[in-house]
Structure formats: C-alpha cells, structure tokens
Amino acid sequence: MALLCGLLITVLLVWHARQADFRLWEQRAVSEAERLSSELGYRVTRAREPLVSAAVLYLGSEEVTQEEIVAAYDQLMVATERQNGLSLAFAQPDGAGGYRVSQAAGDLALLPEGPSPGIHEVLIPPLEAARRAYPNLVTGPLFRTNGTSYLTMTIEVTNAGEPGVLISLIDFSSLVDEVMQDLLVPGTRVEIYHPDEPRVDHADLPPLPTAAEVHHATTLDMDGDVWSLQWSFDADFETVEDRRLIWSVLVSGNLISLLLALVLYTLIRQHWLIQREVDEKTQELIAARDLVVQREKLAALGGLVAGFSHELNTPVGNGLMAATTLQEQTQGLKQRLDDDQLKRSELEAYLVFAQESASILQRNLDRSARLINSFKDVAIDQTSERRRTFSLRVVIDEVMATLGPSIRRVNLELETDIPDTLQLDSYPGPLEQVIANLVTNSLVHAFPEGGGGRLTVMARPVSGNYIEVQYMDNGVGMPQELARKVFEPFFTTRMGQGGNGLGLHIAYNLVHSVLGGSIEVTSQPGAGTRFVIRIPERAPDSMHAGEDEHD
C-alpha cells in the first residue's frame, strides 16, 4: 500500500510538473505576442520616414518638380534599404471635389509615377484627413483592394505657393511579410484588423498546420485608429516540457516510494518475529498484552510515515516550482544577454527574483531536512514536533513568500504590518493553512477581472493574552447575506469554476478546534472583505484531537 500510494503521488507530481511547464510556455507566448506587437508598431512608425523626408523636400524648396521627387524617391529607397511597395505623390484639389496628382514617384498601381488627372477614390478620405489635421502627419486607414492591403500616410504642404497634400502609399501586405519573416518563429501566427474593416485580416498569413493552444489579443494605437492583433501559438512546434525535471521527479518519487515500502516491510517483519517469539516463550495473557503493545507501536509508526509522506510533498513541490521558475528566468536572461539586449533594470529584477527563489528553496529544503530527521527518530512524540514557539511575522512571511508567484501573477500588491515581538506557543502548520486559504479565496473571488488590487495582513496583541490577526482585500466584496454563509461547507458562488466551497470552512474549523480561537468576516459590495482572527498566545493543551483530524 505504501508503494502504491508513493507511485500515485509520483504520478501526480509528474502531471503537476508538466502542467507547470505548459503554463510557463503559455506565459512566454503571451510575452512574445506583446513584444512582437511593439516591434510591428515600431516598423510601421518607421514607415513614416519616406514621407517625412519628402515633406522636408517640399518645405525646403519653393517649387518641387517631377524629376526632383523621383530623384528624392530613389535616394530614399537606397538610404532606407526598402524594397518595392512604396509610392510618394503630391496631390492638389481639382476644383470639382476631387484631386489630381501633380507629382508622383513609386511603383504602386494606385499611385503610378508621374502626374495624372485624377486619383483613386479610396485615397480621397486620407487626403481630406490631412487637410483637417494640418500641420500634423496622419496615419491610416488600412484598406484592401485587389487582394493587397495598403497603408496611407498624409501631411498637408505647399508647392510653388499652391496648397496640396503629400501622400505616402505603402504596400502593407509586403511590409507585414517582411516584418513577420524577420520576427515570427514557427508555430506563431497573427491576424491584423483595422477598425474601419473589422472583418478583413490585413496580415493574410497562412494558417497554422494544427490547432493553436494559446490565443492572445493585443492592440496598436496608430494616430487614434486602434488596430487589433490576434495572436495564435501552436505548442506542437516547441517542446513545452522540461524532460529533465519530469525524469527527476519520476525517479525520485519511485525511490522514495520503494524506501518507504521497504521500511514498512522491515518493521512488519520484525513485529511478526517478535510476536512469534512472545507466543512461544510467554503465557497467553502476557503474549496478548505484548501483542497489543506492538500493534499500538505500529499504529503510531504508520501515522508517522503517513504524516511524513504528506508533509514532505509540500516543500518538495514548492522547491521544484521555485527551481523550475528560476531556471526559466535564467534561460531568458542568458538569451537576452546573448542577443545583446540585456538591460540593467532587467538584470536587477532578475537578481531580486533569484534571491527570492533561493530563499524559497532554502526554506523548503530546511523544512524537508527537519521532516527527514524527525522520521529517523520514531521515539519522539509527534505532537512535540508540531507544536512550538514561533514568531508570527516569520510564519506569515513564509506563507506569503510561498504564495508570491500566484499573487504577482494577477498583479496584486501585498502589505504586511506585524510586529517582530509577537510570539506564539501554538501550531504554525494550521495557522499557515488558514492564511493560505484566505489568500486563495481572494485570488478566486475578490478579483474576477484581474489585478490592480491589494492584500493586507495586520496583527496586534489584544486583551486576555490574545493576538488579533486582520486579513483584508479591496476586491469586489459581497453582500451580508452571502457573508453569513461563507464558513458553511460546500458553499461557493463559483461552483464548477474552480471553487469547491471548503476553503473557508476548513479555515474556520482550524481556528476553532486547533488554534483555540475565533474568526469573523465583514464585507460590503465594492468595499472589499475583512477577516478578523483572534487566537490565544498559547494554544489550549486539549487541541491535539483537532490537529489529528486536520492531518
């Protein structure tokens, strides 16, 4: 049974490691989408350079001829290393509500090189926009014709004293192809939509071979026009699992399971030998008495083994998560260093993160070492290891450090105000679980739309040798009729969405039955939620039964 239980725990750890690796890949994919969106916006902004250079030509000369704009166009193409797909033109009102092209240079059919008596009707709106926005440069809109997307940029200028509009027409489809060839990695696709044509994909990239696992939406604000970018990422093109971690968990879990099974087998075999010797050498009454004693010892040892397996799972899991996250951050930092893109702020942030991860690893490894040492000495009373004198601030800081990644993931601020002088003679394990359950409740229920909120933990001594711990969040809150039911078992407002209705019920039982205190809740819609916990500085001596039930 010990071996089977150990194998089951190992399988669960392997599954958890795979899920953690996929979540990390998902976060990297979202970060990549944000980075690529910014890069695309930068490339589009750089597309203004030809128009700005041409505008300088018109502003610096009294009159610009067709030959001069062609020469300027050729120089711009060489200086900016652009390929084909760009036209520059100076358009003037024709007096009949339309426009005529006075000078033009480029290779696009909508704006052919040379003067022309008319201009394509799709170019009239951006010309009018430039005249309204004088003297500012106007970007957009995106439009599609004959299977090609075009982007216009316009600015009002004068030539030979005659007012007009300088227009730059860009083959946006070619620009997107150029940018995406430089930036996109296999398994990544983007769709670009302009608000004037919300159903037209101006990226027009080929679909992914298989279904995407991650989708993310970003936007680009181009002079008031908000472009929508829909990103898709396919995990089939990238290994999203850390095989070394999975194999380490698998091998370690099997070895620990085999060791526990061997220890139990050895103890049971010894008990059987002792029982047979007692049956042979003593009277029936003495043999029965010795048998009862041996069975009680085995029961105590079985409880110790079960508690060891349960308690060891938590620090090992936390340590593995911290090590995996630190490894991913290190790889990302090395990649940015290799690409010569590392910033001082990123290095400083990484050092802070690495120090925090090392602290989490050290605390969890220390806790594992203490558990293993306690397992070696089976004669020590189990409850003496669980109840101890501890600093309330240290215990709560350790809980918050363990929950730090979950809190930061939803962009929440954490504030603690606990004096260093508060000492308790109590059970730190149940108290840690109570605080963890309250934080989890806030993450699930108080901030359904994401972060931007704050969690606060305060503690003060009160009369009667009690400590009052206040836990608060500034989330959505809840009406009084719901607040009165939060401690009831299986009561939740998110059944089927990640809530089981047991977190606050367990916290209530731990505070009352193990810690010997009380817990109350107050909340109002839109004003957050406050939990007030009162526990004695010294826990009652009769609380062992409640602790065993919790374990």
Side-chain angles (χ1 to χ4, degrees), residues 39-40 56 132 138 185 204 273 288 332 364 419 423 487 490 503:
E39 180 65 21
L40 178 61
V56 172
R132 291 192 299 270
V138 178
V185 298
D204 198 23
L273 292 175
N364 285 279
Q423 300 286 325
F487 297 122
F490 301 107

Side-chain angles (χ1 to χ4, degrees), residues 196-272:
D196 289 349
E197 295 180 309
R199 297 184 179 181
V200 176
D201 175 15
H202 292 283
D204 198 23
L205 298 177
L208 296 174
T210 57
E213 285 79 10
V214 174
H215 299 276
H216 185 66
T218 59
T219 58
L220 286 178
D221 188 349
M222 304 303 297
D223 292 342
D225 286 339
V226 180
W227 299 3
S228 174
L229 280 65
Q230 304 294 329
W231 296 90
S232 303
F233 295 87
D234 187 357
D236 295 337
F237 283 82
E238 181 180 356
T239 300
V240 299
E241 297 176 359
D242 188 343
R243 300 293 185 181
R244 294 173 298 177
L245 175 62
I246 292 177
W247 279 108
S248 298
V249 173
L250 186 61
V251 173
S252 301
N254 289 333
L255 289 177
I256 293 174
S257 302
L258 183 60
L259 175 62
L260 291 177
L262 181 61
V263 170
L264 282 178
Y265 172 75
T266 302
L267 293 173
I268 293 174
R269 185 173 181 273
Q270 290 177 351
H271 169 68
W272 179 77

Side-chain angles (χ1 to χ4, degrees), residues 66 69-70 73 85-91 99-123 150 167-170:
Q66 171 65 26
I69 192 173
V70 170
Y73 171 83
L86 171 68
S87 287
L88 294 172
F90 178 72
Y99 287 84
R100 57 183 176 82
V101 177
S102 300
Q103 295 96 24
D107 60 339
L108 299 182
L110 292 181
L111 275 179
E113 186 170 301
S116 59
I119 194 168
H120 198 285
E121 60 182 8
V122 299
L123 300 179
Y150 294 95
I167 180 170
S168 171
L169 183 62
I170 302 168

Side-chain angles (χ1 to χ4, degrees), residues 11 35 87 225-226 232 287 326 341 372 398 430 448 482 485 518:
V11 171
R35 185 186 70 83
S87 287
D225 286 339
V226 180
S232 303
L326 181 59
Q341 295 181 351
I372 294 174
E398 290 177 350
L482 294 183
K485 300 179 181 180
S518 62

Side-chain angles (χ1 to χ4, degrees), residues 406-424:
S406 299
I407 296 174
R408 290 190 297 272
R409 188 177 301 116
V410 293
N411 194 27
L412 295 180
E413 296 181 2
L414 175 63
E415 179 182 356
T416 58
D417 183 9
I418 304 173
D420 295 332
T421 57
L422 293 183
Q423 300 286 325
L424 282 80

Side-chain angles (χ1 to χ4, degrees), residues 376-511:
K376 293 179 180 178
D377 192 359
V378 296
I380 298 178
D381 182 10
Q382 297 179 11
T383 57
S384 65
E385 287 293 323
R386 297 178 182 272
R387 175 172 182 157
R388 61 182 175 87
T389 300
F390 59 90
S391 168
L392 178 61
R393 179 181 180 87
V394 171
V395 167
I396 292 183
D397 285 347
E398 290 177 350
V399 175
M400 293 308 179
T402 304
L403 297 172
S406 299
I407 296 174
R408 290 190 297 272
R409 188 177 301 116
V410 293
N411 194 27
L412 295 180
E413 296 181 2
L414 175 63
E415 179 182 356
T416 58
D417 183 9
I418 304 173
D420 295 332
T421 57
L422 293 183
Q423 300 286 325
L424 282 80
D425 178 10
S426 187
Y427 303 91
L431 179 58
E432 291 174 352
Q433 184 172 352
V434 170
I435 299 299
N437 286 5
L438 295 181
V439 173
T440 302
N441 181 74
S442 295
L443 297 180
V444 174
H445 298 282
F447 303 98
E449 301 299 331
R454 183 176 65 256
L455 305 179
T456 305
V457 183
M458 304 172 56
R460 293 291 184 272
V462 293
S463 60
N465 295 326
Y466 274 74
I467 300 294
E468 183 179 276
V469 180
Q470 296 189 27
Y471 171 85
M472 296 162 284
D473 66 57
N474 63 343
V476 297
M478 53 185 165
Q480 286 297 321
E481 56 269 19
L482 294 183
R484 287 192 294 266
K485 300 179 181 180
V486 294
F487 297 122
E488 297 178 4
F490 301 107
F491 174 78
T492 178
T493 59
R494 294 177 62 88
M495 185 64 68
Q497 304 178 36
N500 55 22
L502 291 177
L504 294 182
H505 176 68
I506 292 174
Y508 180 89
N509 285 339
L510 290 176
V511 171

